[in-house]
PDB file of all heavy atoms in Angstrom:
ATOM      1  N   GLU A 122     -23.733 -31.544  13.806  1.00 87.00           N
ATOM      2  CA  GLU A 122     -23.716 -32.834  14.521  1.00 87.00           C
ATOM      3  C   GLU A 122     -24.802 -32.878  15.591  1.00 87.00           C
ATOM      4  O   GLU A 122     -25.403 -33.910  15.860  1.00 87.00           O
ATOM      5  CB  GLU A 122     -22.337 -33.062  15.150  1.00 87.00           C
ATOM      6  CG  GLU A 122     -21.318 -33.587  14.144  1.00 87.00           C
ATOM      7  CD  GLU A 122     -19.903 -33.640  14.700  1.00 87.00           C
ATOM      8  OE1 GLU A 122     -19.703 -33.219  15.871  1.00 87.00           O
ATOM      9  OE2 GLU A 122     -18.997 -34.089  13.968  1.00 87.00           O
ATOM     10  N   LYS A 123     -25.077 -31.724  16.214  1.00 84.00           N
ATOM     11  CA  LYS A 123     -26.066 -31.655  17.302  1.00 84.00           C
ATOM     12  C   LYS A 123     -27.498 -31.601  16.757  1.00 84.00           C
ATOM     13  O   LYS A 123     -28.386 -32.292  17.234  1.00 84.00           O
ATOM     14  CB  LYS A 123     -25.771 -30.405  18.148  1.00 84.00           C
ATOM     15  CG  LYS A 123     -26.794 -30.096  19.221  1.00 84.00           C
ATOM     16  CD  LYS A 123     -26.549 -30.876  20.488  1.00 84.00           C
ATOM     17  CE  LYS A 123     -27.547 -30.486  21.555  1.00 84.00           C
ATOM     18  NZ  LYS A 123     -27.527 -31.411  22.693  1.00 84.00           N
ATOM     19  N   PHE A 124     -27.732 -30.762  15.748  1.00 86.00           N
ATOM     20  CA  PHE A 124     -29.114 -30.508  15.309  1.00 86.00           C
ATOM     21  C   PHE A 124     -29.469 -31.129  13.956  1.00 86.00           C
ATOM     22  O   PHE A 124     -30.619 -31.043  13.513  1.00 86.00           O
ATOM     23  CB  PHE A 124     -29.387 -28.995  15.280  1.00 86.00           C
ATOM     24  CG  PHE A 124     -29.244 -28.347  16.626  1.00 86.00           C
ATOM     25  CD1 PHE A 124     -28.164 -27.504  16.901  1.00 86.00           C
ATOM     26  CD2 PHE A 124     -30.168 -28.581  17.637  1.00 86.00           C
ATOM     27  CE1 PHE A 124     -28.020 -26.906  18.144  1.00 86.00           C
ATOM     28  CE2 PHE A 124     -30.027 -27.979  18.880  1.00 86.00           C
ATOM     29  CZ  PHE A 124     -28.953 -27.149  19.142  1.00 86.00           C
ATOM     30  N   GLY A 125     -28.476 -31.709  13.274  1.00 85.00           N
ATOM     31  CA  GLY A 125     -28.746 -32.435  12.040  1.00 85.00           C
ATOM     32  C   GLY A 125     -29.424 -31.604  10.972  1.00 85.00           C
ATOM     33  O   GLY A 125     -29.116 -30.419  10.778  1.00 85.00           O
ATOM     34  N   ASP A 126     -30.400 -32.234  10.274  1.00 81.00           N
ATOM     35  CA  ASP A 126     -31.088 -31.581   9.151  1.00 81.00           C
ATOM     36  C   ASP A 126     -31.834 -30.316   9.566  1.00 81.00           C
ATOM     37  O   ASP A 126     -32.184 -29.482   8.733  1.00 81.00           O
ATOM     38  CB  ASP A 126     -32.122 -32.544   8.525  1.00 81.00           C
ATOM     39  CG  ASP A 126     -31.454 -33.804   7.995  1.00 81.00           C
ATOM     40  OD1 ASP A 126     -30.216 -33.798   7.911  1.00 81.00           O
ATOM     41  OD2 ASP A 126     -32.164 -34.773   7.685  1.00 81.00           O
ATOM     42  N   LYS A 127     -32.125 -30.193  10.867  1.00 82.00           N
ATOM     43  CA  LYS A 127     -32.933 -29.050  11.353  1.00 82.00           C
ATOM     44  C   LYS A 127     -32.048 -27.846  11.742  1.00 82.00           C
ATOM     45  O   LYS A 127     -32.542 -26.871  12.285  1.00 82.00           O
ATOM     46  CB  LYS A 127     -33.748 -29.475  12.599  1.00 82.00           C
ATOM     47  CG  LYS A 127     -34.678 -30.664  12.360  1.00 82.00           C
ATOM     48  CD  LYS A 127     -35.925 -30.214  11.610  1.00 82.00           C
ATOM     49  CE  LYS A 127     -36.968 -31.289  11.524  1.00 82.00           C
ATOM     50  NZ  LYS A 127     -36.607 -32.395  10.627  1.00 82.00           N
ATOM     51  N   SER A 128     -30.736 -27.948  11.489  1.00 82.00           N
ATOM     52  CA  SER A 128     -29.801 -26.908  11.962  1.00 82.00           C
ATOM     53  C   SER A 128     -30.199 -25.505  11.525  1.00 82.00           C
ATOM     54  O   SER A 128     -30.257 -24.575  12.332  1.00 82.00           O
ATOM     55  CB  SER A 128     -28.380 -27.212  11.475  1.00 82.00           C
ATOM     56  OG  SER A 128     -27.926 -28.412  12.046  1.00 82.00           O
ATOM     57  N   LEU A 129     -30.489 -25.318  10.220  1.00 78.00           N
ATOM     58  CA  LEU A 129     -30.799 -23.973   9.718  1.00 78.00           C
ATOM     59  C   LEU A 129     -32.142 -23.490  10.246  1.00 78.00           C
ATOM     60  O   LEU A 129     -32.287 -22.310  10.605  1.00 78.00           O
ATOM     61  CB  LEU A 129     -30.786 -23.951   8.187  1.00 78.00           C
ATOM     62  CG  LEU A 129     -29.462 -24.347   7.513  1.00 78.00           C
ATOM     63  CD1 LEU A 129     -29.564 -24.179   6.007  1.00 78.00           C
ATOM     64  CD2 LEU A 129     -28.295 -23.535   8.038  1.00 78.00           C
ATOM     65  N   ASP A 130     -33.125 -24.410  10.337  1.00 80.00           N
ATOM     66  CA  ASP A 130     -34.438 -24.037  10.888  1.00 80.00           C
ATOM     67  C   ASP A 130     -34.288 -23.602  12.336  1.00 80.00           C
ATOM     68  O   ASP A 130     -34.921 -22.635  12.780  1.00 80.00           O
ATOM     69  CB  ASP A 130     -35.410 -25.229  10.823  1.00 80.00           C
ATOM     70  CG  ASP A 130     -35.749 -25.594   9.374  1.00 80.00           C
ATOM     71  OD1 ASP A 130     -35.584 -24.696   8.514  1.00 80.00           O
ATOM     72  OD2 ASP A 130     -36.134 -26.747   9.122  1.00 80.00           O
ATOM     73  N   MET A 131     -33.446 -24.333  13.081  1.00 83.00           N
ATOM     74  CA  MET A 131     -33.265 -24.025  14.500  1.00 83.00           C
ATOM     75  C   MET A 131     -32.630 -22.628  14.675  1.00 83.00           C
ATOM     76  O   MET A 131     -33.061 -21.839  15.512  1.00 83.00           O
ATOM     77  CB  MET A 131     -32.378 -25.123  15.131  1.00 83.00           C
ATOM     78  CG  MET A 131     -32.260 -25.047  16.640  1.00 83.00           C
ATOM     79  SD  MET A 131     -31.000 -23.875  17.135  1.00 83.00           S
ATOM     80  CE  MET A 131     -29.622 -24.434  16.190  1.00 83.00           C
ATOM     81  N   ILE A 132     -31.622 -22.307  13.851  1.00 81.00           N
ATOM     82  CA  ILE A 132     -30.994 -20.973  13.944  1.00 81.00           C
ATOM     83  C   ILE A 132     -32.031 -19.900  13.612  1.00 81.00           C
ATOM     84  O   ILE A 132     -32.067 -18.837  14.223  1.00 81.00           O
ATOM     85  CB  ILE A 132     -29.769 -20.872  12.996  1.00 81.00           C
ATOM     86  CG1 ILE A 132     -28.652 -21.809  13.476  1.00 81.00           C
ATOM     87  CG2 ILE A 132     -29.240 -19.444  12.926  1.00 81.00           C
ATOM     88  CD1 ILE A 132     -27.475 -21.922  12.527  1.00 81.00           C
ATOM     89  N   ASP A 133     -32.899 -20.222  12.667  1.00 79.00           N
ATOM     90  CA  ASP A 133     -33.922 -19.276  12.224  1.00 79.00           C
ATOM     91  C   ASP A 133     -35.004 -19.060  13.289  1.00 79.00           C
ATOM     92  O   ASP A 133     -35.448 -17.936  13.523  1.00 79.00           O
ATOM     93  CB  ASP A 133     -34.554 -19.821  10.943  1.00 79.00           C
ATOM     94  CG  ASP A 133     -34.993 -18.711  10.005  1.00 79.00           C
ATOM     95  OD1 ASP A 133     -34.463 -17.598  10.126  1.00 79.00           O
ATOM     96  OD2 ASP A 133     -35.869 -18.968   9.171  1.00 79.00           O
ATOM     97  N   GLN A 134     -35.404 -20.152  13.982  1.00 82.00           N
ATOM     98  CA  GLN A 134     -36.599 -20.072  14.835  1.00 82.00           C
ATOM     99  C   GLN A 134     -36.334 -20.220  16.336  1.00 82.00           C
ATOM    100  O   GLN A 134     -37.129 -19.763  17.154  1.00 82.00           O
ATOM    101  CB  GLN A 134     -37.595 -21.174  14.390  1.00 82.00           C
ATOM    102  CG  GLN A 134     -38.188 -20.889  13.013  1.00 82.00           C
ATOM    103  CD  GLN A 134     -38.568 -22.163  12.264  1.00 82.00           C
ATOM    104  OE1 GLN A 134     -38.823 -23.189  12.892  1.00 82.00           O
ATOM    105  NE2 GLN A 134     -38.587 -22.098  10.944  1.00 82.00           N
ATOM    106  N   ASP A 135     -35.232 -20.871  16.716  1.00 83.00           N
ATOM    107  CA  ASP A 135     -35.008 -21.127  18.152  1.00 83.00           C
ATOM    108  C   ASP A 135     -33.521 -21.038  18.465  1.00 83.00           C
ATOM    109  O   ASP A 135     -32.909 -21.971  18.979  1.00 83.00           O
ATOM    110  CB  ASP A 135     -35.551 -22.535  18.493  1.00 83.00           C
ATOM    111  CG  ASP A 135     -35.673 -22.742  20.003  1.00 83.00           C
ATOM    112  OD1 ASP A 135     -35.490 -21.747  20.746  1.00 83.00           O
ATOM    113  OD2 ASP A 135     -35.913 -23.883  20.426  1.00 83.00           O
ATOM    114  N   ILE A 136     -32.939 -19.882  18.139  1.00 83.00           N
ATOM    115  CA  ILE A 136     -31.474 -19.740  18.155  1.00 83.00           C
ATOM    116  C   ILE A 136     -30.852 -19.926  19.547  1.00 83.00           C
ATOM    117  O   ILE A 136     -29.693 -20.303  19.670  1.00 83.00           O
ATOM    118  CB  ILE A 136     -31.071 -18.368  17.544  1.00 83.00           C
ATOM    119  CG1 ILE A 136     -29.591 -18.396  17.134  1.00 83.00           C
ATOM    120  CG2 ILE A 136     -31.365 -17.220  18.495  1.00 83.00           C
ATOM    121  CD1 ILE A 136     -29.177 -17.290  16.209  1.00 83.00           C
ATOM    122  N   LYS A 137     -31.642 -19.688  20.604  1.00 85.00           N
ATOM    123  CA  LYS A 137     -31.081 -19.796  21.963  1.00 85.00           C
ATOM    124  C   LYS A 137     -30.566 -21.211  22.259  1.00 85.00           C
ATOM    125  O   LYS A 137     -29.731 -21.416  23.122  1.00 85.00           O
ATOM    126  CB  LYS A 137     -32.125 -19.375  23.002  1.00 85.00           C
ATOM    127  CG  LYS A 137     -32.386 -17.864  22.994  1.00 85.00           C
ATOM    128  CD  LYS A 137     -33.167 -17.422  24.214  1.00 85.00           C
ATOM    129  CE  LYS A 137     -33.235 -15.911  24.312  1.00 85.00           C
ATOM    130  NZ  LYS A 137     -33.967 -15.282  23.214  1.00 85.00           N
ATOM    131  N   ARG A 138     -31.075 -22.206  21.502  1.00 85.00           N
ATOM    132  CA  ARG A 138     -30.642 -23.590  21.721  1.00 85.00           C
ATOM    133  C   ARG A 138     -29.166 -23.803  21.351  1.00 85.00           C
ATOM    134  O   ARG A 138     -28.576 -24.824  21.698  1.00 85.00           O
ATOM    135  CB  ARG A 138     -31.530 -24.552  20.927  1.00 85.00           C
ATOM    136  CG  ARG A 138     -32.934 -24.683  21.555  1.00 85.00           C
ATOM    137  CD  ARG A 138     -33.760 -25.718  20.835  1.00 85.00           C
ATOM    138  NE  ARG A 138     -33.168 -27.058  20.911  1.00 85.00           N
ATOM    139  CZ  ARG A 138     -33.513 -28.068  20.117  1.00 85.00           C
ATOM    140  NH1 ARG A 138     -34.433 -27.880  19.180  1.00 85.00           N
ATOM    141  NH2 ARG A 138     -32.945 -29.252  20.240  1.00 85.00           N
ATOM    142  N   LEU A 139     -28.584 -22.834  20.667  1.00 84.00           N
ATOM    143  CA  LEU A 139     -27.152 -22.943  20.340  1.00 84.00           C
ATOM    144  C   LEU A 139     -26.281 -23.002  21.591  1.00 84.00           C
ATOM    145  O   LEU A 139     -25.168 -23.511  21.563  1.00 84.00           O
ATOM    146  CB  LEU A 139     -26.701 -21.748  19.472  1.00 84.00           C
ATOM    147  CG  LEU A 139     -27.064 -21.776  17.983  1.00 84.00           C
ATOM    148  CD1 LEU A 139     -26.534 -20.525  17.301  1.00 84.00           C
ATOM    149  CD2 LEU A 139     -26.502 -23.008  17.289  1.00 84.00           C
ATOM    150  N   THR A 140     -26.803 -22.482  22.723  1.00 85.00           N
ATOM    151  CA  THR A 140     -26.014 -22.515  23.971  1.00 85.00           C
ATOM    152  C   THR A 140     -25.822 -23.950  24.474  1.00 85.00           C
ATOM    153  O   THR A 140     -24.996 -24.192  25.352  1.00 85.00           O
ATOM    154  CB  THR A 140     -26.678 -21.658  25.079  1.00 85.00           C
ATOM    155  OG1 THR A 140     -28.045 -22.061  25.203  1.00 85.00           O
ATOM    156  CG2 THR A 140     -26.614 -20.178  24.757  1.00 85.00           C
ATOM    157  N   ASP A 141     -26.555 -24.912  23.896  1.00 83.00           N
ATOM    158  CA  ASP A 141     -26.349 -26.322  24.260  1.00 83.00           C
ATOM    159  C   ASP A 141     -24.994 -26.829  23.751  1.00 83.00           C
ATOM    160  O   ASP A 141     -24.531 -27.893  24.160  1.00 83.00           O
ATOM    161  CB  ASP A 141     -27.444 -27.227  23.639  1.00 83.00           C
ATOM    162  CG  ASP A 141     -28.835 -26.882  24.189  1.00 83.00           C
ATOM    163  OD1 ASP A 141     -28.904 -26.099  25.157  1.00 83.00           O
ATOM    164  OD2 ASP A 141     -29.838 -27.390  23.635  1.00 83.00           O
ATOM    165  N   ILE A 142     -24.399 -26.056  22.835  1.00 83.00           N
ATOM    166  CA  ILE A 142     -23.150 -26.510  22.207  1.00 83.00           C
ATOM    167  C   ILE A 142     -21.958 -25.913  22.929  1.00 83.00           C
ATOM    168  O   ILE A 142     -21.915 -24.708  23.218  1.00 83.00           O
ATOM    169  CB  ILE A 142     -23.141 -26.119  20.707  1.00 83.00           C
ATOM    170  CG1 ILE A 142     -24.197 -26.954  19.981  1.00 83.00           C
ATOM    171  CG2 ILE A 142     -21.780 -26.334  20.071  1.00 83.00           C
ATOM    172  CD1 ILE A 142     -24.529 -26.480  18.612  1.00 83.00           C
ATOM    173  N   GLU A 143     -20.973 -26.759  23.191  1.00 82.00           N
ATOM    174  CA  GLU A 143     -19.761 -26.339  23.900  1.00 82.00           C
ATOM    175  C   GLU A 143     -19.074 -25.213  23.115  1.00 82.00           C
ATOM    176  O   GLU A 143     -18.888 -25.309  21.898  1.00 82.00           O
ATOM    177  CB  GLU A 143     -18.810 -27.546  23.995  1.00 82.00           C
ATOM    178  CG  GLU A 143     -17.570 -27.257  24.825  1.00 82.00           C
ATOM    179  CD  GLU A 143     -16.469 -28.303  24.578  1.00 82.00           C
ATOM    180  OE1 GLU A 143     -16.793 -29.419  24.111  1.00 82.00           O
ATOM    181  OE2 GLU A 143     -15.323 -27.971  24.847  1.00 82.00           O
ATOM    182  N   GLY A 144     -18.732 -24.144  23.827  1.00 80.00           N
ATOM    183  CA  GLY A 144     -18.020 -23.027  23.196  1.00 80.00           C
ATOM    184  C   GLY A 144     -18.926 -21.902  22.730  1.00 80.00           C
ATOM    185  O   GLY A 144     -18.451 -20.870  22.263  1.00 80.00           O
ATOM    186  N   ILE A 145     -20.254 -22.098  22.837  1.00 84.00           N
ATOM    187  CA  ILE A 145     -21.171 -21.016  22.442  1.00 84.00           C
ATOM    188  C   ILE A 145     -21.900 -20.514  23.681  1.00 84.00           C
ATOM    189  O   ILE A 145     -22.696 -21.238  24.281  1.00 84.00           O
ATOM    190  CB  ILE A 145     -22.198 -21.481  21.379  1.00 84.00           C
ATOM    191  CG1 ILE A 145     -21.476 -21.937  20.095  1.00 84.00           C
ATOM    192  CG2 ILE A 145     -23.182 -20.360  21.052  1.00 84.00           C
ATOM    193  CD1 ILE A 145     -22.382 -22.276  18.936  1.00 84.00           C
ATOM    194  N   GLY A 146     -21.593 -19.267  24.056  1.00 84.00           N
ATOM    195  CA  GLY A 146     -22.266 -18.640  25.192  1.00 84.00           C
ATOM    196  C   GLY A 146     -23.298 -17.638  24.694  1.00 84.00           C
ATOM    197  O   GLY A 146     -23.491 -17.468  23.482  1.00 84.00           O
ATOM    198  N   ALA A 147     -23.935 -16.965  25.645  1.00 83.00           N
ATOM    199  CA  ALA A 147     -25.009 -16.019  25.294  1.00 83.00           C
ATOM    200  C   ALA A 147     -24.497 -14.897  24.388  1.00 83.00           C
ATOM    201  O   ALA A 147     -25.184 -14.467  23.449  1.00 83.00           O
ATOM    202  CB  ALA A 147     -25.606 -15.436  26.572  1.00 83.00           C
ATOM    203  N   LYS A 148     -23.247 -14.437  24.638  1.00 84.00           N
ATOM    204  CA  LYS A 148     -22.694 -13.323  23.865  1.00 84.00           C
ATOM    205  C   LYS A 148     -22.517 -13.734  22.392  1.00 84.00           C
ATOM    206  O   LYS A 148     -22.879 -13.005  21.471  1.00 84.00           O
ATOM    207  CB  LYS A 148     -21.345 -12.903  24.457  1.00 84.00           C
ATOM    208  CG  LYS A 148     -20.786 -11.630  23.849  1.00 84.00           C
ATOM    209  CD  LYS A 148     -19.468 -11.263  24.499  1.00 84.00           C
ATOM    210  CE  LYS A 148     -18.833 -10.078  23.772  1.00 84.00           C
ATOM    211  NZ  LYS A 148     -17.478  -9.815  24.240  1.00 84.00           N
ATOM    212  N   ARG A 149     -21.990 -14.962  22.192  1.00 83.00           N
ATOM    213  CA  ARG A 149     -21.780 -15.429  20.822  1.00 83.00           C
ATOM    214  C   ARG A 149     -23.115 -15.696  20.114  1.00 83.00           C
ATOM    215  O   ARG A 149     -23.253 -15.450  18.927  1.00 83.00           O
ATOM    216  CB  ARG A 149     -20.898 -16.681  20.802  1.00 83.00           C
ATOM    217  CG  ARG A 149     -20.476 -17.069  19.393  1.00 83.00           C
ATOM    218  CD  ARG A 149     -19.307 -18.023  19.383  1.00 83.00           C
ATOM    219  NE  ARG A 149     -18.076 -17.411  19.809  1.00 83.00           N
ATOM    220  CZ  ARG A 149     -17.245 -16.719  19.008  1.00 83.00           C
ATOM    221  NH1 ARG A 149     -17.547 -16.567  17.743  1.00 83.00           N
ATOM    222  NH2 ARG A 149     -16.147 -16.204  19.470  1.00 83.00           N
ATOM    223  N   VAL A 150     -24.108 -16.166  20.872  1.00 84.00           N
ATOM    224  CA  VAL A 150     -25.443 -16.380  20.294  1.00 84.00           C
ATOM    225  C   VAL A 150     -25.979 -15.053  19.758  1.00 84.00           C
ATOM    226  O   VAL A 150     -26.537 -14.982  18.653  1.00 84.00           O
ATOM    227  CB  VAL A 150     -26.431 -16.986  21.328  1.00 84.00           C
ATOM    228  CG1 VAL A 150     -27.868 -16.889  20.813  1.00 84.00           C
ATOM    229  CG2 VAL A 150     -26.090 -18.447  21.592  1.00 84.00           C
ATOM    230  N   GLY A 151     -25.793 -13.979  20.554  1.00 84.00           N
ATOM    231  CA  GLY A 151     -26.250 -12.647  20.126  1.00 84.00           C
ATOM    232  C   GLY A 151     -25.573 -12.228  18.829  1.00 84.00           C
ATOM    233  O   GLY A 151     -26.217 -11.697  17.907  1.00 84.00           O
TER     234      GLY A 151
END
Side-chain angles (χ1 to χ4, degrees):
E122 279 172 358
K123 173 84 177 168
F124 299 109
D126 300 348
K127 302 283 189 289
S128 296
L129 300 184
D130 293 338
M131 188 277 308
I132 293 173
D133 212 22
Q134 291 151 25
D135 194 8
I136 198 164
K137 288 193 171 64
R138 287 185 62 196
L139 282 180
T140 52
D141 296 350
I142 291 167
E143 185 196 339
I145 299 186
K148 188 179 173 188
R149 189 163 290 275
V150 167

